[in-house]
Amino acid sequence: MYKLAGIVTGEVRLHEFEFIVSGEVRINEYVKVWNELDGWILARVVKLTDTDKKRAVAEVIGYKDDRGFLMQPNSTVARDSKVFKADRGFIIETLGLRSGGIYLGLLEGRNIPVYIRKEELIQKHCSILAKTGSGKSYTAGVLIEELLEKNVPLLIIDPHGEYITLKYENRSEGERRQMEKYRIAPRGYASRVTVYTPANFSVNPNADRLFRIDGINLSVNELYDLFPMSDAQLGVLYQSINAIKSEKEFYTIDDIIRRVSESKSSARWRVIHFLERIRETGILSDSPTRIEELVKEGHASIIDMKGADPDLQRLIVYRICKEVFEGRKMNKIPPLMLVVEEAHNFCPERGFEKAVSSNILRTIASEGRKFGVGLLVISQRPARVDKNVISQCNTQIILRITNPNDIKALSKGLEFMSSEMEEEIKRIPQGVALLSSPGIEMPVLVDIRVRRSEHGGRAVGEAGSGISGMNDKWNGSESGGEGEGGNGGESEGRGESGVHRGKKGVLARLLSL
C-alpha cells in the first residue's frame, strides 16, 4: 500500500509541480504521481515553499518506457492528483540503480545502495570535486577501497601523505557504529598497499620503499622535459651528451655536469645550475623504481610526496604518468586506475600556472581510456583544474562547493549542470555527494558510506584513531550538524584537516627551477 505524501495543487508545469503535504515530507525525498498518458511518474521534492501551510515543489524525473529508456512526460500531472512516497523498487527501476560494482553509499534519504560500474569508472575516468573540508579525500578513500576489493591495480599520487592509513582498519567508534547501516566491516589493506617516498626515510619514516628515477644515460629530450632551456642552453647540453656518448656506454648526471662545465659557452652556467639542482634532490638513481613494480594486480602503490618541493612533485608526476601511458601502450603493465590528488597542482588550467606534468595528464585524460589507463582526478579547486581534463571525466562526484568561480567552472565544463544544480551544490549536506555517472539515469545525491580503513586526513589529537587521532565520521573545516541521510547527530565533518600541509623536508629547498 502506497503512503500518501500530498495532493497536487497550485502551479503545475511540465517538469515540476506543487503539492500540499500530507504528513511528513522532506527535501530530496522521492515521490510518485499518476499521469493518465504515461503512468507512474517519479519526482523529487526540491523545495518546501511554505512550511506553515505545508506546500512543497517536486521536480519531475520521468518514467521508463517499454524499451527501458527514461522519458519525460508529454503532459502535466492533473491537479488534485494524489502524490505518494515512491517505493524502493520504483526508484531503483526508474533511476537505473543497478546492484553490484563499486559501492559508493546509500541513496540520500533511502536505504538503497548506489553502485558505479567498475568498467565505467576506469574506462571513462572520474573526478571528485569539493571545497576544502567537505570530504573529497575521504570519498576518494571509499573508491580506492572498493577498487582494491575488485583487484584493480592502483597508482596513487599523494602530495600530503593522506592515504598511507589505507593499511589500517577503521578504529573510529562512531564510524564503526554506522557500518551496520552500510553493511560493511572494518578492514585494513596492509598486505596490498606499498608506500614509496621520493625523499628519504628520515623525512618519511612511514614509507616502505624509496622512489627513484633512472639516472643512467639521460637523454637531451629527457632533461629538456625536466626544465625549460633556451636554444643556446640546449645546444650546450646536446654537444656535451654527444661527446660523452662517443667515450662511454653508460654515463650519469655527474658526467654530464663535468662535460658541460668544459664548454666555452656562457650558457653553460644556467645548464649546470639546473643539473646540480636535480642531482641534489637524490631522485636520480642507477637502481630506479620500475613501472612494473608500481603497477600490479590487486595492489595499490602510493607515491607519498610529503616533504618534496612542489617542482619536484610535478617532475615526479610527469615521469610516472609518462611511464604509465607508455607501459600500457606496450602492454607491459595491466590496466589500472591512476589517482591524482590535488590535481590543480599537476594539471592547472591555462592562465593560472604552468606545470611540466600538464601535457601528459591531458593526454591520459583524452587517450588513456583506449589503452586501459583510468584517471581519478581529485581537487578542492575545480576552477584551477584544466577544463579539458575535467570534461573527459564521465563520472563526477561533487561534494559541497560554495566558491562562485569553482561553480562557474563546473557549469562550463559539465553537461548536466543547471542553475538549479548550482544552487543545490552549495547546500549539499556534509557527508553527501552529487553523483553523475553514465550508468545512472540522472544525477543523484548519495550518502557516502563510512570507510573500512582509517582516514588519513583527520586532525591530530582527535579521539578514536590509533594512527593520527581521528574523529567520528566526517572531519572537515565546517561543523557537520545533523545530516540529511539518516546519519543523526554523528555527521561531523569527514574531510581533510591538512595535517601534513606546509610540512617541508630537506627537499623543500631544492629543485628551485
Side-chain angles (χ1 to χ4, degrees), residues 156-170:
I156 303 168
I157 306 299
D158 185 5
H160 305 300
E162 294 178 289
Y163 294 97
I164 186 173
T165 52
L166 283 162
K167 291 183 173 185
Y168 314 107
E169 71 175 39
N170 194 335

Side-chain angles (χ1 to χ4, degrees), residues 169-296:
E169 71 175 39
N170 194 335
R171 300 180 186 178
S172 165
E173 293 181 6
E175 293 191 15
R176 280 175 174 259
R177 286 195 296 270
Q178 296 183 64
M179 287 184 181
E180 185 178 353
K181 165 186 170 182
Y182 297 103
R183 297 178 183 176
I184 62 170
R187 179 181 178 183
Y189 298 90
S191 64
R192 305 178 70 178
V193 171
T194 304
V195 179
Y196 294 81
T197 176
N200 53 58
F201 293 123
S202 63
V203 173
N204 193 345
N206 294 319
D208 300 307
R209 300 179 187 176
L210 297 175
F211 174 83
R212 294 294 181 259
I213 292 172
D214 192 352
I216 303 299
N217 291 358
L218 288 167
S219 68
V220 174
N221 286 337
E222 286 176 315
L223 289 168
Y224 182 72
D225 285 337
L226 302 185
F227 54 81
M229 286 180 280
S230 66
D231 288 344
Q233 293 163 356
L234 196 61
V236 169
L237 188 63
Y238 185 80
Q239 290 175 354
S240 299
I241 289 180
N242 274 353
I244 296 170
K245 284 181 177 179
S246 67
E247 300 172 358
K248 289 185 168 187
E249 183 179 358
F250 302 104
Y251 59 90
T252 67
I253 195 167
D254 292 320
D255 296 319
I256 300 173
I257 291 172
R258 278 194 296 270
R259 183 64 69 163
V260 170
S261 65
E262 296 172 2
S263 172
K264 303 300 182 184
S265 171
S266 60
R268 71 185 184 278
W269 301 115
R270 188 64 174 166
V271 177
I272 291 171
H273 168 75
F274 285 137
L275 293 172
E276 287 182 340
R277 287 297 172 266
I278 292 174
R279 180 179 63 183
E280 288 170 6
T281 65
I283 194 68
L284 300 178
S285 172
D286 57 0
S287 299
T289 308
R290 300 293 181 185
I291 195 65
E292 294 90 343
E293 175 188 338
L294 292 174
V295 182
K296 294 184 289 188

Side-chain angles (χ1 to χ4, degrees), residues 35 137 233 283 396 508:
N35 182 300
S137 292
Q233 293 163 356
I283 194 68
Q396 305 282 350

